[in-house]
Amino acid sequence: MKKLLAVLAALAVAVLAFAGCGSSDKQAASETKVLKVGATAVPHAEVLEQIKDDLKAQNIDLQIVEFNDYVQPNLALNDKELDANYFQHAPYLENFIKEHPEVKVANAAGIHIEPMGIYSHKVKSLAEVQDGASVAIPNDPTNGGRALILLSKAGLIKLKDDTNIASTVQDVVENTKNLKFQELEAAQVPRAIDDVDLAVINSNFAMQVQLNPVKNSLFIEDATSPYVNIVAVRNGDEERPEIKALIKALQSEKVKKFIEEKYNGAVVATF
């Protein structure tokens, strides 16, 4: 009898242990995973807001960390303060990695294009631009080159090579209007619009000051722009389930419809 009781007790312990193991597995499976994504406010953070609930349904807590510059998001990602970022175009990331070889960050997916535009509060058309006019452009290598290429396509200057995204003001070979360039941090260019005759502004920063690239610019990039905005992750994280879920949610019909309706051509989905 004692042996039978001992066997039953052992079986009871085993059953409880098995039941406990199963419940812990279910608990682990249902644990919410935090996904921190760095973004500039417009349009990136706004787009990310649209997929919060979609990721929540997959037990992923999307936390959006906003930045106002183009340097810190990549550094924070490299330092594991973020899981991904969504703020930059592919040429910018490529140049950033060249300048910061210690940063191990990769392009995980393309999401949209933001056409760069030429704006002014002083003239209503490029034909009104006077000799010696001042022009504010971004000072980082890829966006500076991008701005100069746009000015070249607008007929205001000529470059040695109007396909070279690394062009600088030293590569201007013809400047018949004697334009005076002011190179500023990209985020500062829209704030300088009242102090210059022309400002070449990235669309995400233009929209932050209520400038619509389609409606308000004097000249805008066309659909052939190579500057696709991307999701960036640390090298090796491309296959993380949370990252794949993030990209799938961003490349959805829901997001495409939101972009079309919200930005009216100022942002164009590329998927």
Side-chain angles (χ1 to χ4, degrees), residues 40 69-74 87 92 96 140 143 186 202 204-205:
T40 44
D69 72 285
Y70 283 172
V71 176
Q72 294 305 313
N74 280 329
F87 78 98
Y92 179 85
F96 191 92
D140 62 273
N143 285 303
N202 295 74
N204 59 315
F205 292 127

Side-chain angles (χ1 to χ4, degrees), residues 105-118:
V105 174
N107 177 351
I111 308 299
H112 73 265
I113 291 174
E114 301 168 17
M116 180 178 267
I118 302 173

Side-chain angles (χ1 to χ4, degrees), residues 6-27:
V7 170
L8 290 173
L11 285 172
V13 170
V15 169
L16 287 171
F18 180 79
C21 180
S23 63
S24 64
D25 286 346
K26 289 179 181 177
Q27 183 179 4

Side-chain angles (χ1 to χ4, degrees), residues 7-65:
V7 170
L8 290 173
L11 285 172
V13 170
V15 169
L16 287 171
F18 180 79
C21 180
S23 63
S24 64
D25 286 346
K26 289 179 181 177
Q27 183 179 4
S30 64
E31 283 180 359
T32 299
K33 295 184 178 180
V34 172
L35 189 68
K36 291 186 177 181
V37 180
T40 44
V42 182
H44 306 85
E46 292 180 344
V47 173
L48 287 168
E49 286 286 348
Q50 305 309 305
I51 64 169
K52 269 191 166 185
D53 288 343
D54 301 298
L55 294 179
K56 185 178 181 180
Q58 302 174 58
N59 294 319
I60 298 172
D61 177 16
L62 174 59
Q63 296 183 4
I64 304 165
V65 183

Side-chain angles (χ1 to χ4, degrees), residues 82-217:
L82 302 171
D83 297 293
N85 67 43
Y86 172 41
F87 78 98
Q88 65 195 321
H89 52 62
Y92 179 85
L93 177 60
E94 292 166 8
N95 187 75
F96 191 92
I97 292 171
K98 287 179 183 177
E99 293 187 344
H100 302 81
E102 75 282 4
V103 172
K104 308 302 180 184
V105 174
N107 177 351
I111 308 299
H112 73 265
I113 291 174
E114 301 168 17
M116 180 178 267
I118 302 173
Y119 301 83
S120 178
H121 282 174
K122 296 186 178 180
V123 298
K124 295 183 178 180
S125 72
L126 295 181
E128 296 178 17
V129 177
Q130 299 295 309
D131 186 84
S134 55
V135 184
I137 65 173
N139 65 0
D140 62 273
T142 51
N143 285 303
R146 182 183 183 185
L148 291 169
I149 289 171
L150 188 61
L151 290 166
S152 177
K153 287 185 176 181
L156 293 172
I157 60 171
K158 285 188 178 180
L159 296 169
K160 289 180 183 177
D161 178 2
D162 63 7
T163 65
N164 179 15
I165 63 174
S167 294
T168 70
V169 292
Q170 282 70 44
D171 295 311
V172 177
V173 294
E174 188 174 311
N175 184 5
T176 55
K177 289 185 177 291
N178 298 303
L179 301 180
K180 310 298 181 185
F181 298 102
Q182 294 186 23
E183 298 176 85
L184 307 171
E185 185 181 345
Q188 300 300 320
V189 176
R191 300 175 189 178
I193 192 169
D194 290 324
D195 301 319
V196 295
D197 297 292
L198 299 174
V200 188
I201 308 174
N202 295 74
S203 285
N204 59 315
F205 292 127
M207 287 185 286
Q208 286 183 31
V209 292
Q210 287 71 55
L211 289 173
N212 183 295
V214 175
K215 297 178 181 178
N216 304 126
S217 67

